[in-house]
Amino acid sequence: MREPVDRFSRRLPWAALALVLLAIAAIRVRVLDVPLERDEGEYAYIGSLLLHGIAPWAEAWNMKLPGIYAVYAILVGVGGASVSAIHAGLLVANTWNALACAFLARRLFGDGAAVVAGSAYAAMSLSTAVLGLWSHAEPFALAFALGGLMLALEARSAAALAGAGLLFGAAVLVKQNAAPLALFGAAWAAWQERSTWARAPAQSLRRLASLAAAALLLPAAVALALLHAGVFGRFWFWTVTYASWYGAQLSLGQGVSELAARLPILLRAQAVWWVAAAVGLAAPLWSPEVRARAPFLLGLLAAGCAAASLGFYYRPQYFVLLLPALALLAGAAAHALAPRTPRARALACTSLAVAGLLTPIGVEAPLLLRAGRNELSRAVYGPNPFPEAVVLAREIAARTALDARIGVIGSEPELYFYSGRRAATGYVYTYALMEPQPYAQAMQEEMIAELRAARPEMLVFVNVPMSWLGRPESPRALVDWFAEVSTTEYETVCVADILSSSETRYVFGDAARSYTPRSPYWVSLLRRKTT
């Protein structure tokens, strides 16, 4: 009778993980068409340009590295230019990340811990506290980083280490914040080489050299491609010169205040798993097995904290990079506390894996299980005009030819993607133009010059503060320019007046030209005058 018990003990936890992943996938499928937010709009637009052979920084620019544009180009190329295709890609990435956490925990502690770790990541990454329903760069960067960690943890051959290096390089290209995870993976691979180094230093050196060379391969190839495309100078300005200024703006004290405001939100939505991770962090005190693996767990935790903390901005999605460490610590807790008999251990780990669905699904049930797509967007992002962008883009597409150029005065690049029209300016965001930084005035003047030269058929003006983040001292050249041309060269054809969290009033045609918005949040669509 022993074999059936062993089979039950081995299969039950994995069946529980499959159930958890299916439940979470069902929730994600329900909201696949939730409107894009502006980062997604940027990635989708530039990814679409990439599919047409237009290099990043040729017609649109920002300080992100180009790996995420390549990821989105694949999503749009395979699934079509749709919101659902983009969010389906997120579902795939997060499912892989959960399985990768499970495989890492299995390598460290066995099946029970694996199932707990996989369930922990899947549940935590669903939470709106980390903007888990939107396809930010972090889950995709993490997919590469976790793949590299899996290879680095094994470190059986030079080929495996080269594969790890390639994946680490890809992770950083997708999101700069993944660099601490990549560095930890490389450091762990080097640490594991210490025994080989003692008996065969030349062999160990070759293996580590293969990792380093592979890690640099993709960044070097991208740099050469951008140089060939003639955009390397602009790429360098945005990702190094400007990004260095941007990253140095927040002080440590401001970062601590932002973190203190963010943590209660995370804890509320992910309480079960944060408590489990805290127990796992303490588990080396009484568990020899966890103590033996503490260097890996603590190193991953430190790397995850560093990844979430770069620049001290603490954006909600940055915490996705911390979730694998929390998940593995939760797995360690399960291993350290679970009963010793196989059947009881399997039941205990399975119970924790399923109970972990209570957060965030239980806490956020009104959003995750019942809210409509626009209601969900508004609940998380407030009066940002993400639902309105869908309607306005349809108007743009109906009123312009495919080769028309349009301009968005604000930070809503999703309008370019939705409408299928190219931007009349490379400034797809106006954030940088409003910051107290030395290039702001010149950036505004360049954007105005580009709009004047392109003479876009339609303009969109976004009167939503979150689309600008302006300050009293911000330059006003762009706003003043729009105020002039909006009456002399353009006429209003549509106004989206965001009256409340559940109501937006759309006014079209002649009525739009004389309409006075009742809300402080509104978006207007203007057409170039024909006479």
Side-chain angles (χ1 to χ4, degrees):
M1 297 296 293
R2 181 178 179 80
E3 181 59 27
V5 172
D6 290 342
R7 186 181 298 119
F8 172 85
S9 302
R10 190 168 54 250
R11 292 180 178 176
L12 178 64
W14 292 101
L17 177 59
L19 177 65
V20 168
L21 293 179
L22 285 172
I24 289 175
I27 294 172
R28 289 189 178 279
V29 168
R30 190 187 78 82
V31 294
L32 280 182
D33 60 348
V34 64
L36 300 180
E37 53 86 64
R38 55 180 62 95
D39 279 359
E40 292 179 297
E42 172 206 346
Y43 304 151
Y45 173 58
I46 300 179
S48 298
L49 292 179
L50 193 57
L51 288 174
H52 288 88
I54 300 171
W57 294 281
E59 291 191 9
W61 34 83
N62 205 302
M63 62 179 173
K64 287 112 173 177
L65 292 179
I68 188 60
Y69 305 139
V71 169
Y72 264 68
I74 294 170
L75 297 181
V76 172
V78 172
S82 71
V83 175
S84 294
I86 291 169
H87 293 150
L90 173 65
L91 190 160
V92 172
N94 267 322
T95 301
W96 157 253
N97 290 343
L99 291 172
C101 288
F103 293 143
L104 285 169
R106 184 176 188 270
R107 172 74 170 77
L108 294 171
F109 300 113
D111 289 342
V115 170
V116 169
S119 297
Y121 178 86
M124 287 190 290
S125 64
L126 179 68
S127 171
T128 62
V130 294
L131 305 181
L133 299 176
W134 287 268
S135 297
H136 289 279
E138 285 76 10
F140 298 102
L142 198 55
F144 291 108
L146 288 174
L149 276 175
M150 291 170 65
L151 290 175
L153 193 61
E154 296 297 329
R156 301 299 186 192
S157 65
L161 285 177
L166 196 66
L167 290 169
F168 290 146
V172 176
L173 278 178
V174 172
K175 184 69 178 183
Q176 291 102 315
N177 292 46
L181 294 172
L183 290 173
F184 165 71
W188 186 259
W191 172 253
Q192 291 191 123
E193 283 293 307
R194 63 192 186 281
S195 59
T196 304
W197 183 273
R199 66 175 187 274
Q203 177 187 354
S204 186
L205 186 61
R206 284 194 299 270
R207 285 155 58 94
L208 293 176
S210 69
L211 185 150
L216 295 174
L217 181 62
L218 281 178
V222 167
L224 288 174
L226 295 174
L227 191 63
H228 177 74
V231 298
F232 187 84
R234 194 177 287 274
F235 156 78
W236 186 265
F237 170 79
W238 279 98
T239 61
V240 178
T241 306
Y242 168 74
S244 298
W245 177 90
Y246 179 84
Q249 290 314 290
L250 283 188
S251 66
L252 178 59
Q254 290 172 310
V256 169
S257 297
E258 187 167 345
L259 178 60
R262 183 68 56 193
L263 282 177
I265 301 172
L266 290 166
L267 291 173
R268 176 178 176 272
Q270 303 172 344
V272 169
W273 296 117
W274 281 72
V275 170
V279 174
L281 192 60
L285 297 176
W286 71 83
S287 171
E289 291 175 292
V290 178
R291 190 180 308 124
R293 293 157 181 81
F296 182 86
L297 295 172
L298 294 177
L300 183 61
L301 178 63
C305 289
S309 301
L310 289 186
F312 303 120
Y313 281 96
Y314 294 109
R315 305 286 190 248
Q317 67 271 24
Y318 292 1
F319 288 93
V320 169
L321 299 171
L322 177 60
L323 299 186
L326 298 179
L328 290 182
L329 285 170
H335 180 79
L337 294 178
R340 297 294 98 183
T341 61
R343 182 182 289 267
R345 176 181 291 271
L347 288 170
C349 291
T350 297
S351 299
L352 177 57
V354 175
L357 288 177
L358 295 176
T359 59
I361 296 176
V363 173
E364 300 186 275
L367 293 179
L368 298 177
L369 303 181
R370 295 189 289 274
R373 63 176 189 175
N374 290 349
E375 182 184 358
L376 179 58
S377 177
R378 195 71 81 211
V380 175
Y381 285 103
N384 279 294
F386 304 150
E388 290 71 26
V390 178
V391 177
L392 294 172
R394 283 200 296 264
E395 284 294 307
I396 294 170
R399 293 171 179 270
T400 59
L402 275 173
D403 61 351
R405 296 276 183 155
I406 65 170
V408 177
I409 316 301
S411 303
E412 307 302 336
E414 68 274 13
L415 283 160
Y416 299 121
F417 174 71
Y418 283 142
S419 66
R421 304 301 185 262
R422 285 159 67 180
T425 172
Y427 290 96
V428 295
Y429 291 109
T430 51
Y431 292 140
L433 286 64
M434 308 302 289
E435 292 166 343
Q437 46 100 349
Y439 314 104
Q441 182 68 39
M443 286 177 173
Q444 290 205 19
E445 292 172 357
E446 183 180 19
M447 183 175 179
I448 292 168
E450 289 174 342
L451 291 168
R452 281 174 173 160
R455 293 175 56 83
E457 292 188 26
M458 304 198 81
L459 289 177
V460 180
F461 183 79
V462 186
N463 193 73
V464 177
M466 289 77 76
S467 196
W468 291 83
L469 298 183
R471 299 166 173 83
E473 68 273 18
S474 296
R476 290 192 51 85
L478 179 60
V479 175
D480 292 342
W481 173 82
F482 173 77
E484 176 187 348
V485 301
S486 64
T487 56
T488 59
E489 300 178 32
Y490 289 85
E491 59 183 2
T492 303
V493 294
C494 177
V495 176
D497 193 3
I498 305 171
L499 300 174
S500 70
S501 61
S502 59
E503 181 185 2
T504 296
R505 182 180 184 186
Y506 294 94
V507 185
F508 299 93
D510 292 339
R513 284 187 276 281
S514 59
Y515 180 74
T516 300
R518 294 162 48 194
S519 163
Y521 311 112
W522 52 269
V523 184
S524 60
L525 176 62
L526 300 90
R527 175 180 58 194
R528 178 173 287 279
K529 294 178 180 178
T530 55
T531 57

